[in-house]
Amino acid sequence: MTFTLTVSDEVRALAPGFTHVAVEADGLVNGPSTEGTSVLLDDAARRLAERLAGRAPHEDPHMAAWRATYTAFGSKPSRTRNSAEALAKRALSGAGLPRINVLVDIYNAISVAHLIPVGGEDTDHIRGAMRLVRATGDEDFVTVAGGAETVEHPDAGEVVWRDDTGVTCRRWNWRQGPRTRLTEQSASAVFLLESLAPMPVTDVETAGNELAELLQKFSPGARITVHAPE
């Protein structure tokens, strides 16, 4: 891996069943959403509906585990849903899934189809090591509110992804900051697939491999590595 990615002992203690798979990619070609990525998103919504068989997303055992973990670090999971649950809820609604850009559409489709939180970070904008930690509350999280850049601070004890500059994603996988998100200019990225027990590790590996195959399909010639689960 061209950069360091670590999970703190405090986070491991909070969620001993946590596993992540990192998919690293260089030479990607991004751009506006296409008919191909729209088909992917529609198919993901269909796969989700089959998986849930009439249940609400939060009734799935994996989503229930994420809700319990959010509660454990002081967040209200019904108000700040993990990214997979939020996307799943939208996929099953009349609004449907958003079309953002090719790379984001791909990882959103994987997230919905497998009901796994998936995030994508532009590695050209990551500074130093990426680490999953419990926040002190002093870290900077640069975001946009009302069309203007603003700086927020996570709650003390909140689980966040961060690098040397500041927080890149709040409440584990709830809200990503604009600094490292994938834009149409992004060519290098790391995708993180995150799971908790009772989801089998093999399920996360399968999702990671499917993501890699789609990245290769939409960016022929890209250099893609699927790292072992950690």
Side-chain angles (χ1 to χ4, degrees), residues 1 3 21 27 50 52 61 106 129 131 134 150 167-168 182 197 213:
M1 192 174 287
F3 64 96
V21 168
E50 290 180 357
L52 291 175
I106 289 171
R131 53 251 192 214
R134 301 198 70 174
T150 185
V167 173
T168 58
L182 297 176
E213 290 170 3

Side-chain angles (χ1 to χ4, degrees), residues 36-55 57 60 87-88 91-92 97 105-116 118 193 199 202-211 213-214 217:
T37 62
S38 187
V39 168
L40 276 182
L41 291 166
D42 288 342
D43 184 60
R46 178 192 59 77
R47 291 166 66 183
L48 172 70
E50 290 180 357
R51 181 191 191 96
L52 291 175
R55 295 174 298 162
D60 177 86
L87 275 176
L92 297 174
L97 289 166
D105 290 355
I106 289 171
Y107 80 70
N108 279 349
I110 293 296
S111 177
V112 169
H114 293 270
L115 211 49
I116 296 172
V118 183
L193 298 86
M199 176 168 276
T202 52
D203 286 5
V204 193
E205 289 181 293
T206 297
N209 288 326
E210 185 179 337
L211 173 60
E213 290 170 3
L214 288 173
K217 175 183 176 181

Side-chain angles (χ1 to χ4, degrees), residues 13-38:
L14 176 75
F18 173 63
T19 300
H20 69 273
V21 168
V23 179
E24 195 173 3
D26 294 295
L28 295 167
V29 179
N30 202 8
S33 300
T34 67
E35 183 179 348
T37 62
S38 187

Side-chain angles (χ1 to χ4, degrees), residues 28-207:
L28 295 167
V29 179
N30 202 8
S33 300
T34 67
E35 183 179 348
T37 62
S38 187
V39 168
L40 276 182
L41 291 166
D42 288 342
D43 184 60
R46 178 192 59 77
R47 291 166 66 183
L48 172 70
E50 290 180 357
R51 181 191 191 96
L52 291 175
R55 295 174 298 162
H58 70 267
E59 295 177 292
D60 177 86
H62 189 215
M63 295 298 94
W66 276 107
R67 282 194 166 215
T69 301
Y70 268 49
T71 299
F73 66 76
S75 291
K76 295 182 178 180
S78 59
R79 189 174 67 185
T80 54
R81 295 178 176 87
N82 75 79
S83 63
E85 185 183 330
L87 275 176
K89 187 176 174 64
R90 182 158 179 176
L92 297 174
S93 74
L97 289 166
R99 274 58 172 166
I100 308 297
N101 59 54
V102 169
L103 294 178
V104 175
D105 290 355
I106 289 171
Y107 80 70
N108 279 349
I110 293 296
S111 177
V112 169
H114 293 270
L115 211 49
I116 296 172
V118 183
E121 305 280 350
D122 188 323
T123 50
D124 289 334
H125 295 283
I126 294 171
R127 299 294 173 255
M130 276 188 69
R131 53 251 192 214
L132 188 65
V133 300
R134 301 198 70 174
T136 63
D138 297 326
E139 299 90 347
D140 288 344
F141 177 69
V142 180
T143 187
V144 176
E149 186 176 283
T150 185
V151 178
E152 299 177 355
H153 303 283
D155 299 326
E158 181 182 325
V159 177
V160 298
W161 280 102
R162 65 158 303 164
D163 64 3
D164 290 353
T165 297
V167 173
T168 58
C169 193
R170 284 198 61 189
R171 297 196 177 112
W172 208 314
N173 45 41
W174 167 63
R175 177 182 290 170
Q176 183 185 29
R179 173 170 61 90
T180 60
R181 70 177 46 153
L182 297 176
T183 69
E184 292 182 15
Q185 289 70 48
S186 297
S188 298
V190 61
F191 301 87
L192 292 171
L193 298 86
E194 302 180 298
S195 72
L196 295 170
M199 176 168 276
V201 173
T202 52
D203 286 5
V204 193
E205 289 181 293
T206 297

